[in-house]
Amino acid sequence: MAESWSIWRVKPIDVLLQEKRRTGLSRVLGGIDLVALGIGAIIGTGIFVLTGVAAAQYAGPGLVISFVVSGLAAGLAALVYAELASMIPVAGSAYTYTYASLGEFVAWVVGWNLMLEYMVASGAVAIGWGSYFSDLVASLGFDLPRTVTHAPGAGGIINLPAVLISVLITLLVMRGTRQSARFNKFAVAAKLGVIVLFIVVGARFVNPDNWMPFLPFGVTGIFHGAAIIFFAYIGFDAVATAAEETRRPQRDLPLGIVGSLSIATVLYILVTLVLTGLVPYTALNTASPVASALLAAGVRGAGGIVSLGAIAGITSVLLVMIYAQSRVFFAMARDGLLPPVFTRIHARYKTPYVTVLVTGAVVMLTAGLLPIEMVAQLANIGTLAAFIITSAGVLILRRTRPETPRPFKVPGAPVTPVLAIGFCLYLMFNLPVATWLRFAVWMALGLLLYFLYSYRHSALAPQRPGPGWRAILGSPVAKPARKDGDEDG
């Protein structure tokens, strides 16, 4: 492997594939597993929790158009991911793809943003789970104290249900990929059944008057709503993190990514139409809008079933998010950008157990101590930044590695990746200023860590004292070592 002190050093694709063959991860996932993994990650808190907030505060009934806009942005990014996943079927998702196209520094930025996406998104998911669990307990006649069901900023001390579910799912993910996949398929089946039930039952009680005014916040409300509920599409990229545990990654990864996103988008549009038709959009500003809308429409039996299904569905999202983050940690540590302790594989379970435990601990703290609005917006901006850089990576690899086999190719390239970049940028600039400030702090911490540790410990760094800044900012391609007998000139 060529060594270089440049921060633009690129990790060759053939090296990535060689490392994959040496991994201790179990290859047990098939195409259906990956579609279920994608649906498990996508459909959850976004539809069961954030739809209410987005409709009440940003878009009104026009939220259905917001879902179309966000779905289009996510769909374009999904096509990009599908090409890269089939081309480089290695753990790490966008981080790995960027390392092979844009170089180590940009790859670090993407990996750092993926940490923000998965860990913070997992926290939001756990908060949503806690809200539905509290509602379910209340429907049985038991009220849990607010002090143990809400974060400090929301009038409580700690969100204990969110903390406990984070601990349980962390232990399940650590136990093994096969066990996690089985549980996920069960939860996805329950979730899809409940969503179909909501659409069929709720459609009978829709009042078209509730759709008026359709755009109470104007056209700008559609795009503000799209930026907020983009969280609902976070997750399809988690399929790519399972590359090294997939039996036929070149075929099944694109199927899992595009298939799961397509199914989710159709269901989101139908659920939003029914939800905003059941009650006025102003009544949806609640953490459990789907169940609340049915209860308000007088469908009490179905409301209880939906609460149970929402709990099962949100649990599957949490499982996939913690799973995906642990694999990103694993890939970055294998490259030397994080301490080697994160590469440890459990002797019995064959999982990267240290990364799983660290991820679970951060999710537990986030879910227990932060409000859901702040958490969801942070997850959105990290994801959109990663999508933008990944889309640029496809364009670069088309020029620098045209000979590399691509079992799946992005249709309409280069227009499609450029559109993905444009859509994601637009959604980013529709996020609140406070989110950008928090994002800036996160990026500053990431840059500090890279230059203090990752840059010098990288597997691509020469094993000798470091150079000056000119070498650090130099060419992304290291010159080949000179052989004896070579002549100058």
Side-chain angles (χ1 to χ4, degrees):
M1 187 190 306
E3 295 178 337
S4 168
W5 277 116
S6 170
I7 61 173
W8 311 110
R9 50 200 176 200
V10 174
K11 191 168 187 179
I13 294 176
D14 54 345
V15 173
L16 289 168
L17 296 177
Q18 287 172 11
E19 289 180 345
K20 172 191 171 184
R21 298 186 189 102
R22 295 195 299 267
T23 186
L25 300 175
S26 300
R27 299 180 63 182
V28 296
L29 302 177
I32 300 300
D33 295 309
L34 294 180
V35 172
L37 194 72
I39 293 175
I42 299 169
I43 300 178
T45 306
I47 193 68
F48 287 119
V49 179
L50 291 181
T51 44
V53 174
Q57 299 182 16
Y58 297 96
L63 185 66
V64 66
I65 302 179
S66 300
F67 269 111
V68 173
V69 172
S70 280
L72 185 56
L76 292 169
L79 292 173
V80 168
Y81 266 79
E83 174 170 322
L84 291 173
S86 68
M87 181 181 176
I88 314 170
V90 179
S93 184
Y95 157 77
T96 300
Y97 310 149
T98 309
Y99 213 156
S101 57
L102 299 175
E104 181 179 284
F105 178 71
V106 185
W108 169 264
V109 171
V110 170
W112 191 245
N113 283 326
L114 287 177
M115 289 186 203
L116 182 65
E117 171 192 345
Y118 287 127
M119 288 193 292
V120 175
S122 298
V125 171
I127 294 169
W129 189 96
S131 178
Y132 270 95
F133 179 78
S134 298
D135 286 349
L136 183 63
V137 171
S139 70
L140 298 175
F142 302 96
D143 287 325
L144 297 176
R146 187 177 182 85
T147 53
V148 296
T149 58
H150 289 76
I157 297 176
I158 188 170
N159 191 334
L160 192 57
V163 170
L164 292 177
I165 191 60
S166 301
V167 172
L168 290 174
I169 294 301
T170 298
L171 294 176
L172 176 61
V173 173
M174 190 181 72
R175 284 292 304 272
T177 301
R178 191 186 301 274
Q179 291 84 346
S180 298
R182 286 174 182 166
F183 176 83
N184 182 61
K185 282 193 282 190
F186 169 78
V188 165
K191 173 166 51 180
L192 292 179
V194 163
I195 289 175
V196 171
L197 174 68
F198 171 77
I199 294 170
V200 172
V201 174
R204 298 169 52 201
F205 297 90
V206 164
N207 180 1
D209 292 340
N210 290 327
W211 290 329
M212 300 299 171
F214 188 70
L215 299 176
F217 300 95
V219 175
T220 56
I222 292 175
F223 295 102
H224 287 308
I228 299 301
I229 55 90
F230 187 80
F231 184 87
Y233 289 99
I234 291 177
F236 73 81
D237 53 328
V239 175
T241 66
E244 293 186 31
E245 291 154 283
T246 302
R247 291 191 294 269
R248 295 178 294 275
Q250 283 85 356
R251 186 198 73 174
D252 292 341
L253 286 174
L255 172 65
I257 292 170
V258 178
S260 59
L261 185 65
S262 301
I263 293 171
T265 301
V266 172
L267 292 176
Y268 281 166
I269 292 172
L270 293 175
V271 167
T272 305
L273 282 171
V274 173
L275 186 65
T276 54
L278 280 173
V279 294
Y281 72 91
T282 53
L284 292 173
N285 196 14
T286 171
S288 49
V290 175
S292 298
L294 285 174
L295 291 173
V299 193
R300 298 196 171 274
I305 295 174
V306 166
S307 292
L308 282 172
I311 288 174
I314 294 173
T315 303
S316 73
V317 179
L318 185 59
L319 183 150
V320 177
M321 290 291 183
I322 292 177
Y323 170 90
Q325 174 56 63
S326 66
R327 272 49 179 182
V328 173
F329 262 140
F330 176 79
M332 295 179 75
R334 187 169 59 186
D335 292 334
L337 304 187
L338 291 175
V341 66
F342 292 115
T343 63
R344 291 183 182 175
I345 302 295
H346 197 283
R348 178 181 176 186
Y349 302 135
K350 302 299 180 184
T351 57
Y353 69 100
V354 175
T355 68
V356 174
L357 292 175
V358 171
T359 300
V362 175
V363 171
M364 179 183 68
L365 293 173
T366 302
L369 302 175
L370 296 179
I372 191 169
E373 292 84 2
M374 178 194 300
V375 174
Q377 290 167 7
L378 273 173
N380 284 352
I381 198 167
T383 306
L384 288 166
F387 285 179
I388 289 169
I389 298 172
T390 305
S391 298
V394 158
L395 297 174
I396 291 173
L397 283 175
R398 285 283 184 102
R399 295 194 58 142
T400 60
R401 297 296 297 267
E403 76 288 351
T404 301
R406 291 168 170 81
F408 178 90
K409 290 186 177 182
V410 176
V415 176
T416 303
V418 171
L419 286 175
I421 293 171
F423 266 95
C424 291
L425 273 173
Y426 187 78
L427 291 179
M428 283 183 76
F429 286 114
N430 273 278
L431 288 167
V433 174
T435 301
W436 277 92
L437 293 175
R438 296 183 188 110
F439 181 63
V441 172
W442 175 258
M443 287 305 304
L445 291 173
L447 294 178
L448 191 64
L449 179 59
Y450 176 76
F451 284 110
L452 288 180
Y453 178 87
S454 306
Y455 170 71
R456 295 183 182 277
H457 288 82
S458 168
L460 297 184
Q463 300 302 310
R464 61 178 184 272
W469 284 103
R470 181 173 295 179
I472 291 174
L473 298 175
S475 169
V477 180
K479 294 181 179 179
R482 182 175 174 177
K483 298 178 181 178
D484 292 338
D486 287 351
E487 296 182 3
D488 295 331

